[in-house]
Amino acid sequence: MKHPLVDKPRSAVRVLFPLQSPASLTLTNTDRMAEAEWTSIFQIQANSLKEEDSWCLEFDNSLVPNSPKRGWEEYIRKTAAQFRCSKCKRRWPSNHVMVVFHMKLTDGQGVVKVRRFRQDCKKCNEAPMEEPSIDAEHIDVLMENLVKKIRIKCYHEKLDRGDRHFTKYDSRSQHEPTHCEGCKHGICSLDLKLKLLSLS
């Protein structure tokens, strides 16, 4: 399926915006604004990629961590975000928000799929999982690290594998694995540390 092409400056990689899927029609205006911000920042960071190639960023909550499809590469990274409970309206920050990327480059067409892992309110019974609200500064760090991984995994460039670190929120509350979708999938870094300590 062809994607509508975003205008690009000379000497910049082409970044394609995906067409709306039926699932995307249920998104709120806030969700759409957030996804547009992710795509815009990805477009800026992707300018360092091969000029002739086209890349698109897609949001896919069906991605399974540590199980990319054949031919796809994976990158998992932690960031900080804010959450708001849709039941009691309570807000909380978290420095343990996991994001999974699957990427593939075929014949000059690159696709990145992203899943942002959710958390639920610890004070509400049967609280729904809430999407993280990630600000532009933290998205920029994620996209910079993502593009670096694309250069390593898809273009086979020999770069150092270190990541740019994100700024943590000042949060006094402890991370609770029972309310973290990333922990439930076994990918949250704090959850992994706890498992290692239990085995020691």
Side-chain angles (χ1 to χ4, degrees):
M1 179 183 292
K2 296 282 187 181
H3 295 279
L5 182 62
V6 174
D7 291 337
K8 71 181 185 75
R10 293 176 68 92
S11 302
V13 68
R14 294 180 295 161
V15 177
L16 306 177
F17 288 78
L19 294 172
Q20 286 187 347
S21 63
S24 71
L25 299 178
T26 63
L27 294 176
T28 65
N29 287 336
T30 301
D31 292 332
R32 292 186 190 283
M33 290 175 62
E35 292 191 358
E37 184 171 41
W38 279 68
T39 305
S40 175
I41 295 173
F42 175 68
Q43 180 180 17
I44 294 170
Q45 293 288 350
N47 281 337
S48 63
L49 299 175
K50 189 175 179 181
E51 182 179 349
E52 308 88 76
D53 294 343
S54 300
W55 283 87
C56 67
L57 185 71
E58 301 177 356
F59 297 86
D60 185 348
N61 286 335
S62 70
L63 292 185
V64 179
N66 298 316
S67 299
K69 293 181 179 179
R70 185 174 181 179
W72 290 73
E73 300 289 347
E74 182 176 61
Y75 174 53
I76 300 176
R77 186 64 180 163
K78 180 174 70 173
T79 189
Q82 299 279 348
F83 291 89
R84 180 177 181 269
C85 178
S86 55
K87 289 185 70 175
C88 72
K89 312 307 179 187
R90 186 178 75 90
R91 297 176 183 271
W92 69 94
S94 175
N95 294 313
H96 300 276
V97 180
M98 305 307 296
V99 184
V100 170
F101 301 97
H102 288 179
M103 56 267 197
K104 183 178 183 181
L105 176 63
T106 306
D107 298 328
Q109 175 62 65
V111 178
V112 176
K113 295 187 177 185
V114 56
R115 177 178 177 181
R116 298 156 295 184
F117 283 77
R118 304 169 297 173
Q119 295 182 13
D120 64 17
C121 180
K122 66 181 181 181
K123 294 191 175 180
C124 288
N125 292 325
E126 299 182 358
M129 281 287 178
E130 306 293 354
E131 294 288 342
S133 175
I134 305 175
D135 63 29
E137 176 187 348
H138 290 91
I139 297 172
D140 185 68
V141 173
L142 282 169
M143 294 297 102
E144 180 180 323
N145 291 332
L146 168 65
V147 168
K148 184 176 181 180
K149 290 301 182 290
I150 291 174
R151 292 174 63 187
I152 293 171
K153 293 175 178 285
C154 297
Y155 291 100
H156 310 293
E157 295 184 31
K158 297 189 177 189
L159 305 173
D160 71 89
R161 295 181 176 266
D163 284 320
R164 177 184 164 195
H165 296 291
F166 65 90
T167 302
K168 293 184 177 182
Y169 287 124
D170 183 12
S171 175
R172 296 182 180 179
S173 59
Q174 291 186 341
H175 183 64
E176 300 191 29
T178 56
H179 298 281
C180 172
E181 193 175 38
C183 288
K184 292 177 180 179
H185 280 80
I187 61 168
C188 184
S189 55
L190 182 61
D191 185 50
L192 292 175
K193 289 180 181 178
L194 292 174
K195 287 180 179 179
L196 290 172
L197 287 173
S198 68
L199 295 174
S200 62

